[in-house]
Amino acid sequence: MPITRRALLVGAAGSTLLLGAPGIVRAQQVFRAYPFTLGVAAGDAAADGFVLWTRLAPEPLEPHGGMPMAPIAVQWEVAADPAFKTIAAKGEALARPELGHSVHVEVAGLQADRPYWYRFTCGRERSMRGRVKTLPAAGASVARARFVVVGCQHYEQGLYTAYGHAAHEEADFAFHYGDYIYEGRTSPINFDYGGAPRKFIRAHVGEEPYSLDDYRRRYAQYKTDPDLQAAHAATGWYATFDDHEVQNNWVSDRDQNGTPPDAFLLRRAAAFQAWYEHMPVRSASIPHGGAIQAYRRARFGDLLDLHLLDTRQFRTDQPCDDGFKARCAGWDAADAQVLGSPQEAWLGRNLAEGKARWNAIAQQVMVMPLDRRMGDEPEPIRNMDSWGGYDRPRERLLSSFAGHGNVVVLTGDEHQNYAGELRTHAGQGEAVAVEFVSTSISSGGDGADVRAGSDKILARNPYLKYMNDRRGYLLCDVTSDQWQAQFRTVDQVTEPNAPVKTARTAIVPHGRPQLDFA
Ligand code: FE
Ligand code: CA
């Protein structure tokens, strides 16, 4: 059939585009620039499938990623082998301008508990290859699970060397606890936790994001990093968000600057849409009316239930005007919330009815109510942006853990490694779970093995057993009898190629919420 001139469009991407079904455009020739600059990703795996993700962006930092304002058809393939000899599923999806030309494919009908490989094609261009595993069927007998805990990846403060190493851990999945982007504009002069100037590595492009296009560009810049792309291509992720996907320490409809809630919610809606567009999450997490459904559950056979929490969207304002503070009345507020009632009830039901050998509480901010005093201050000091600022919600959470002997809390946000026992009554009561706080991928820069003052924190909080201030990730190996967690660290993120090592190996025996060290 002859192609009429009206049927041909030459988009900003430089591709020749052929109109197919009404409104749908097919790329027939080469893009002027490679369109898969942001890599690929998979996530939210179930026993029968997962989400595949990519975004077309031939010029990732330009408006609209350099794409024409039309929906573009993208082909996807899922194979049983890395050479794509046996295709298990394939199809076509639309990269829509409404969603920043991102593609989310929910693949179903696959076999449980096995790896698959996937890739995308658009015109003559093909994406890199990714790998993702389906979960074991819920309730199926499973001997082990291996996964990484990652997050806090400030682009300016360090290279993503740790992601390059995480990509080689042969993890069944990754849990991302948030701070995928940081919203600040570039700050060429900044300082480490000891007050020394930090070596400048690379710069954020653009001002602080407020609009959808601003956030899209920030995600695009982060996603051009090859180590981050490798970590996505290596395994499926369960992505959540923390504060910096929107604004530092936001909760509910409040930012840190006293912005009127109606105005902040417009910014939050743009940030939520950009988060959805760039994460391999299901359509259930498309924002509606400025809100997003992000808490959810994944079940790894009979071995592990993963409860993924949202500790930002439904939280009451930080007490004591936020920050690290001595006690104020708000610590103990009767109406304080971290999860909000519906999510708290959902988690309580999951724990009460679940039959898995282990429960992982995959969330963002520290549950241990650490006394943060590093000097001779007369009163205990806590981090108001952690569960330490929310006595009643924290004690309710801990009481929902009591009696299980199989709860492990996975946390980020702190930019340090911590391991400790979760005890009721603000650390004075019985141990009901163990908390592992995974350090940052890059936020905070090189760090040190031990941050100055850590000895004082450890001495004041006897249920806290370990601190370490290097960058890296947590590597968990879970079997029926024990939960092993390795704190994997790199000594440098301001120079490339730092090797990874295990700084410490912690073990939780099944049935007893206690920490042992190998
Ligand atoms: Fe962070
Ligand atoms: Ca954070």
Side-chain angles (χ1 to χ4, degrees):
M1 179 190 277
I3 297 168
T4 68
R5 284 175 59 111
R6 281 171 57 89
L8 285 171
L9 301 169
V10 177
S15 58
T16 302
L17 302 165
L18 179 66
L19 287 172
I24 297 172
V25 176
R26 279 163 215 292
Q28 296 291 314
Q29 297 186 359
V30 288
F31 284 84
R32 184 178 298 146
Y34 184 61
F36 296 106
T37 55
L38 307 184
V40 299
D44 276 7
D48 71 336
F50 33 69
V51 178
L52 303 180
W53 175 92
T54 192
R55 180 187 161 201
L56 302 178
E59 296 169 272
L61 301 182
E62 295 303 311
H64 314 299
M67 289 295 291
M69 290 294 94
I72 310 293
V74 178
Q75 288 74 45
W76 56 270
E77 296 169 279
V78 172
D81 60 289
F84 289 83
K85 292 199 171 89
T86 305
I87 301 299
K90 63 180 180 176
E92 187 172 271
L94 286 180
R96 297 182 183 277
E98 290 89 340
L99 293 171
H101 292 100
S102 63
V103 176
H104 294 75
V105 182
E106 295 189 47
V107 185
L110 301 176
Q111 293 172 22
D113 197 16
R114 60 150 297 158
Y116 287 96
W117 289 262
Y118 62 94
R119 65 188 179 190
F120 297 91
T121 306
C122 189
R124 294 181 187 171
E125 303 287 0
R126 175 162 285 166
S127 75
M128 68 193 293
R129 178 186 73 197
R131 177 185 180 276
V132 54
K133 285 183 77 175
T134 48
L135 292 182
S141 175
V142 175
R144 59 185 59 241
R146 180 179 174 89
F147 64 94
V148 290
V149 179
V150 295
C152 283
Q153 53 201 60
H154 198 299
Y155 187 81
E156 295 193 324
Q157 294 183 1
L159 302 170
Y160 293 166
T161 310
Y163 266 136
H165 293 301
H168 291 104
E169 298 286 12
E170 299 186 7
D172 294 316
F173 62 87
F175 161 55
H176 193 287
Y177 55 73
D179 288 2
Y180 194 101
I181 58 165
Y182 282 75
E183 81 283 11
R185 65 175 184 178
T186 190
S187 49
I189 301 170
N190 57 47
F191 301 90
D192 68 18
Y193 295 107
R198 196 174 353 232
K199 185 176 173 188
F200 190 71
I201 303 298
R202 50 188 183 178
H204 278 156
V205 170
E207 290 293 317
E208 181 167 339
Y210 283 82
S211 73
L212 175 56
D213 280 331
D214 296 342
Y215 282 107
R216 283 171 172 164
R217 180 164 67 173
R218 185 57 56 88
Y219 277 99
Q221 184 181 19
Y222 276 52
K223 279 181 163 285
T224 53
D225 185 281
D227 286 322
L228 176 56
Q229 291 189 11
H232 276 295
T235 194
W237 288 30
Y238 295 95
T240 66
F241 53 79
D242 193 22
D243 53 333
H244 289 289
E245 282 84 353
V246 183
Q247 194 259 1
N248 183 48
N249 282 17
W250 73 277
V251 293
S252 182
D253 57 4
R254 293 162 188 271
D255 71 3
Q256 271 204 321
N257 307 327
T259 302
D262 287 345
F264 173 65
L265 285 174
L266 294 173
R267 180 186 189 184
R268 197 187 80 168
F272 279 178
Q273 180 173 339
W275 181 82
Y276 169 76
E277 289 175 355
H278 292 85
M279 293 298 125
V281 293
R282 294 184 182 268
S283 59
S285 295
I286 293 180
H288 288 278
I292 197 165
Q293 175 61 50
Y295 66 84
R296 58 205 193 274
R297 180 185 191 182
R299 306 173 72 180
F300 198 94
D302 67 353
L303 183 64
L304 178 66
D305 271 6
L306 192 64
H307 313 277
L308 299 143
L309 304 189
D310 173 348
T311 56
R312 289 281 164 197
Q313 199 175 185
F314 311 107
R315 206 203 299 187
T316 49
D317 202 11
Q318 291 96 342
C320 320
D321 204 25
D322 206 357
F324 282 34
K325 294 286 171 60
R327 174 176 280 280
C328 71
W331 276 21
D332 193 33
D335 58 352
Q337 293 281 354
V338 173
L339 302 179
S341 296
Q343 182 177 197
E344 194 173 304
W346 166 85
L347 177 62
R349 280 195 307 276
N350 285 355
L351 290 170
E353 297 167 7
K355 295 188 168 50
R357 187 78 174 162
W358 293 94
N359 285 291
I361 311 297
Q363 55 102 51
Q364 292 78 38
V365 291
M366 191 191 279
V367 178
M368 288 182 282
L370 291 187
D371 181 350
R372 308 274 182 157
R373 278 179 289 178
M374 312 242 286
D376 302 325
E377 299 90 336
E379 294 290 325
I381 291 172
R382 291 196 197 158
N383 177 0
M384 294 299 105
D385 188 48
S386 75
W387 289 81
Y390 297 81
D391 272 355
R392 298 205 188 186
R394 186 190 64 255
E395 296 301 322
R396 288 199 303 272
L397 181 78
L398 296 183
S399 61
S400 75
F401 298 165
H404 287 287
N406 67 1
V407 179
V408 173
V409 176
L410 303 169
T411 301
D413 182 58
E414 294 279 346
H415 307 171
Q416 281 204 86
N417 288 306
Y418 295 82
E421 294 163 3
L422 286 169
R423 296 181 170 272
T424 59
H425 299 89
Q428 309 295 310
E430 63 156 343
V432 295
V434 163
E435 181 172 28
F436 292 118
V437 179
S438 181
T439 188
S440 55
I441 289 288
S442 60
S443 304
D446 290 339
D449 288 339
V450 179
R451 191 180 297 180
S454 297
D455 53 337
K456 293 209 173 67
I457 306 259
L458 285 160
R460 288 194 193 278
N461 300 282
Y463 55 87
L464 178 67
K465 307 296 185 188
Y466 179 61
M467 290 178 74
N468 165 284
D469 183 28
R470 291 296 184 190
R471 308 287 78 77
Y473 54 92
L474 192 71
L475 175 61
C476 295
D477 284 283
V478 182
T479 63
S480 183
D481 295 337
Q482 70 170 34
W483 182 306
Q484 175 184 283
Q486 294 182 64
F487 291 96
R488 302 282 277 162
T489 62
V490 292
D491 284 350
Q492 282 190 314
V493 293
T494 59
E495 300 283 348
N497 302 322
V500 69
K501 67 182 180 192
T502 296
R504 198 85 194 265
T505 300
I507 291 169
V508 185
H510 185 268
R512 289 195 305 279
Q514 73 180 41
L515 264 171
D516 300 326
F517 290 92

